[in-house]
Amino acid sequence: MAQYSIEDLRTDAERLGLSHQAGPVDGRAIERVDLVAVDALATASAGTLVIVTGEEQPPPFRIDVALRQASARRLAGVVFASDLVLPETAAVLAGRAGVPVFAAPGTKAADLAKAIDRAIAGGASEAMMRGALAVERATEAAASAGTIDAILTTASAALGIRLDLVEDPSVSWSEGDAVCIGEVPIGRVVASSPDAATGVAVPVIASLLSRAMQRSTRDRYASTQSRSDLLIELVLAESSRVEGFVGQAARLGLPLQQSHVAAWLAPTSAADPQARAPRTVQPALELFALQLVEEREEMWHLAFLQDDLMLVCTEEHGAADHQRRVREVAVRIQEQARVLAGSGWAYTLGLGTPQLGAIGVRQSAAEARIAAESAIAAGRLGGVELTDVTGLRRVLLDVYASPISRDLLHDILRPLDALGPERALTAVRTLQSYLANGSSLVHAGHELMLHPNGVGYRMRQIRERLDVDLDDPDTRFAVELACRVRLLGAV
C-alpha cells in the first residue's frame, strides 16, 4: 500500500478541517503524526507531520523559528491548531524552505492527530471514518440544498474521491449503487477511484440521490399528474357530466375550450394477447414521456388506463399540423416502450383527429383508442393507425366513448360471448349483416360470402341465444347499434 503523503493530506483537507497556508504540496510521505509545542519542534523526527498545539497563534518570530527547525529536521509538514494568519515573511520562508504549512481552526488537536494517524495507517478504520463522514455530509446536503450536484460534491469532498452519477437504464433497483425514481432506473453512482471507503458510502449516497430525484420529479410534474387524473375521469365519464369538468380543468391549467388531439398506445404480448405489460414499463415510460414533452411549446397531458397510454396535445383551435406533431412525439414514446418491454411485446399506436372542447377530448381519445384496437384485432401489431371518421362512424364513436352506453349495448350481445371470442365475433358480424340487409338471407349471404342456408342456420342459433324479438323495430335498431359498436374494435 502506498504511503500517505502531503498530496493526500491536501485532498483530505476539507474532511479533516484543514486549510493549506503555504509551502509545497507534493508527494513526500507522512510517516507519522505528533503533537508538539511550537518551541519544541527540534525534538521531532524526520518524516513527522507536526501538529502545533495551542488555540492561539504563536508570535511571528516563533513561527519563523518553527519553520526553520521543520526544514532542518526534514519534517513532513507543520499544522497549526489555531486560526492562523501567516505573516508574509513566514509564507515566503515556508516556500523557500520547502515546509508545507496547514491550519486547523476550530479542530481539536488530539482528534485531528487521531484522524490523520488512521489515514496514515489506512485499513478498515480509516475507510470507515471517511465513509461515515461522507454519509454524514451528504445527508446534510440532501436536507438543505437537496440537489444532485450538492450531494455528489459534498460526498466527494468528504471521501477525497470523486463521485459521479452515470446514466444506466439497465441498472437494477436492488444494486447498491443504483439510483432510481421509484422503480424507474436512472443510473449508478460511480467512484473515480473505488476503495473501502466508497464501498461504505456509495449505497447510502445512491439512496439519497434516489430520494432527491423522486422529490424533484414529484414537485416538477405534480400539476401534470393532477391533469392526468382529470383526463381519465373526463374520458370515462358520461356525456352529461362533461361540462362539469370545465371549471376544475381551468384551475389545473387545462384549457378544455381549445383543440385537442389524442394518441393511444396499446401493448400486446406475442405469447399471450391477454397478458399485461411488465410492471416496470409504465413508470419508466411515463418519466420518459414527461421529459420528452417538457420543453415543447404545445401543452401535453398523459394518463394510463391500465397498460394503455393516452397522450393528449392541446393547442389553439386551427393550429397547423396539430396531428403531425402529436404523431412525432407519440412515435418516439412508442419506440421507447418497445425498448423497455422487450422483443416479446408490440405497441400499437392509434391517432385521433383534432377536436374542439371538452367533448372533443373524449371524441379524439375514442378515435385513437378504436384505431389502435382495430389494428390489433386485424393483426396489424406495432404500427401507427390514423383515424378517418365520417357520417355514421362518428356517431358510433361518440356512443363508444360513453362507458354506460357501451355497457348497455354490450349487455344485449353478452349471451353470444359464451361461444368464445372467435365464434362470438363471427355471430356478431352475421347478425349485423342480416339486420343491415333487411333480414335478407340472400343479401347477407352475398356480403358474408356464405350460402343463404348457412346464414339461416347461424341466425337460428343467434335468435335462440339472444332471446329477443328481431321483428320489433326498436329492438332491431338497438341490436344493430350494439353490433356496430362492438365491431368498431374488431375491424
Side-chain angles (χ1 to χ4, degrees), residues 38-73:
V38 68
D39 57 356
L41 266 64
T43 62
S45 58
T48 301
L49 178 70
V50 170
I51 299 177
V52 177
T53 57
E55 296 180 359
E56 295 183 1
Q57 177 174 317
F61 80 93
R62 283 291 185 190
I63 295 176
D64 289 348
V65 171
L67 295 180
R68 293 180 186 279
Q69 290 177 329
S71 176
R73 301 293 297 176

Side-chain angles (χ1 to χ4, degrees), residues 326-336 338 349 384:
V326 174
R327 177 171 182 162
E328 289 176 354
V329 171
V331 166
R332 290 190 60 186
I333 297 173
Q334 181 186 35
E335 293 169 351
Q336 181 67 10
R338 291 169 181 157
L349 177 62
V384 180

Side-chain angles (χ1 to χ4, degrees), residues 24-110:
V25 175
D26 50 28
R28 75 182 69 184
I30 302 176
E31 298 178 7
R32 65 191 65 82
V33 61
D34 199 2
L35 299 174
V36 180
V38 68
D39 57 356
L41 266 64
T43 62
S45 58
T48 301
L49 178 70
V50 170
I51 299 177
V52 177
T53 57
E55 296 180 359
E56 295 183 1
Q57 177 174 317
F61 80 93
R62 283 291 185 190
I63 295 176
D64 289 348
V65 171
L67 295 180
R68 293 180 186 279
Q69 290 177 329
S71 176
R73 301 293 297 176
R74 298 193 300 279
L75 300 183
V78 179
V79 178
F80 289 88
S82 60
D83 191 2
L84 181 67
V85 179
L86 199 64
E88 185 176 349
T89 55
V92 172
L93 179 59
R96 289 178 179 175
V99 179
V101 179
F102 293 83
T107 303
K108 292 184 179 179

Side-chain angles (χ1 to χ4, degrees), residues 335-348:
E335 293 169 351
Q336 181 67 10
R338 291 169 181 157
V339 172
L340 293 170
S343 58
W345 287 85
Y347 276 79
T348 306

Side-chain angles (χ1 to χ4, degrees), residues 163-205:
L163 298 180
D164 291 296
L165 175 58
V166 178
E167 289 187 13
D168 183 1
S170 66
V171 69
S172 170
W173 65 269
S174 60
E175 297 180 53
D177 59 355
V179 176
C180 302
I181 300 177
E183 295 183 353
V184 181
I186 302 300
R188 300 176 182 273
V189 177
V190 177
S192 58
S193 301
D195 64 2
T198 60
V200 171
V202 161
V204 182
I205 306 301

